[in-house]
Amino acid sequence: EKINGDVIISHSEMMYKPHVLTELLATDHDISIVVDVDYDANKESGYYVKADIPYSRELYDQSVNLVEVDTSLSEDQIHGEFFGLWRVKGKGAEVLKESLEILGAKSNFDQLTFADLLNHIQSSHSISVTYIKSSWLDRKTYLSIRDKG
């Protein structure tokens, strides 16, 4: 009910440079996620993304779509990391609400993740991928850097 029109959704403990949001707002797609190609596959957890086209500087204005999000993709399938910044607008807002209703009715809803939500949406509606290189930090990393002085 609260998701109407053009909505930016961000994990609460993420900080990103302004150009990341600018890139996301420049997309024309109903649903878009931001994916960092400078990911760390050795960290304990992450929402790793497989897209229909891997990152390349030559993509520039080419449309890229999500294939799958998972915490355990093999290294050769990972095209980047979803860090929790995305946008829905128009039909995308409706698709998100419908997906939340469907998943919310499942007995294991409290165990589902963002990956489950995005994969569910992707099964019936395309999700655009906006690639970036770094330019974001989680709160824990930021505090660690700040504390080192």
Side-chain angles (χ1 to χ4, degrees), residues 6-8 18-34 60-64 85-89 128-132:
D6 194 344
V7 181
I8 302 293
H19 76 273
V20 174
L21 189 55
T22 301
E23 289 291 323
L24 180 60
L25 290 171
T27 65
D28 292 334
H29 303 279
D30 293 335
I31 304 173
S32 301
I33 64 172
V34 180
Y60 190 67
D61 234 1
Q62 192 171 349
S63 190
V64 177
L85 181 61
W86 53 311
R87 176 186 184 198
V88 296
K89 66 179 190 169
S128 171
V129 170
T130 299
Y131 285 126
I132 64 161

Side-chain angles (χ1 to χ4, degrees), residues 18 32 36 60 63-65 78 81 84 92 102 108 115 122 132 138:
S32 301
D36 184 5
Y60 190 67
S63 190
V64 177
N65 290 307
I78 298 173
E81 179 182 7
I102 291 167
N108 67 340
Q122 184 277 334
I132 64 161
D138 59 61

Side-chain angles (χ1 to χ4, degrees), residues 4-5 12 21 36 42 44 51 65 70 81 96 99-100 115 117 120 134 148:
N4 290 310
S12 64
L21 189 55
D36 184 5
N42 295 319
E44 291 180 27
N65 290 307
D70 202 317
E81 179 182 7
L96 174 57
S99 295
L100 287 170
L117 174 60
H120 176 81
S134 298
K148 288 179 183 175

